[in-house]
Structure formats: C-alpha cells, structure tokens
Amino acid sequence: MSPKPLEPLAKKLFKGVIALELLGVFGAYGLFHKMNTSQDFRNTMNRRFPSVLEVYYQSNEWAGIYGLRERDREAWAAKHD
C-alpha cells in the first residue's frame, strides 16, 4: 500500500489543528484585552470564573504591573456601599 492516500487526510487534519490553535490564541487575547480594559468585566469574571481572573492578575504581576487586584477590590467594595 502506498502512503499517498493518507496525505490528503493528514493535510486536512494538520490544517484543522492549526485553525484550532489560532482560534485559541485569538480567543485568549480577546479575553485578556476585555479584562485589561473593563473593570466591570473583571467583576463578572470574579463572580463566574475566579480562577481565570486569578491567572490574569498573576500574569500582570509577573509582567511587573502591581495593584490591579487591590484597586478592583476597593472599587467593588465601594459599589456595594
């Protein structure tokens, strides 16, 4: 049996994997951008997916951006008062 009949299938699978990878990268960037620009969205993420928000805070701290977590908590506490 020659390997040629499998080549089109392999190419399709490879293209599908690349497309999924690109969707994941752009989706992650979109989520990061939304969290980076909207404190209200971060509050929503805090209520629904706190672990995702924690990763966002940690990535900012690793990049040298400190104080976001504290500012958010202060703003959210002020809204409830």
Side-chain angles (χ1 to χ4, degrees):
M1 244 178 26
S2 90
K4 288 191 178 186
L6 293 178
E7 284 180 15
L9 177 63
K11 284 183 181 181
K12 285 182 182 178
L13 284 174
F14 183 72
K15 287 180 183 179
V17 168
I18 294 296
L20 285 174
E21 291 271 338
L22 285 173
L23 282 173
V25 167
F26 286 118
Y29 174 76
L31 181 65
F32 175 82
H33 180 71
K34 184 77 172 175
M35 282 195 290
N36 206 31
T37 57
S38 173
Q39 192 174 53
D40 288 334
F41 185 71
R42 286 195 300 269
N43 191 16
T44 301
M45 292 300 289
N46 186 43
R47 284 184 276 116
R48 293 186 182 172
F49 305 105
S51 61
V52 173
L53 185 63
E54 181 63 27
V55 169
Y56 167 77
Y57 287 140
Q58 286 178 354
S59 68
N60 276 302
E61 289 167 358
W62 289 334
I65 302 169
Y66 298 99
L68 281 175
R69 183 189 324 252
E70 292 78 15
R71 274 183 275 157
D72 284 346
R73 287 187 182 151
E74 288 172 7
W76 299 335
K79 273 187 177 180
H80 290 296
D81 291 343

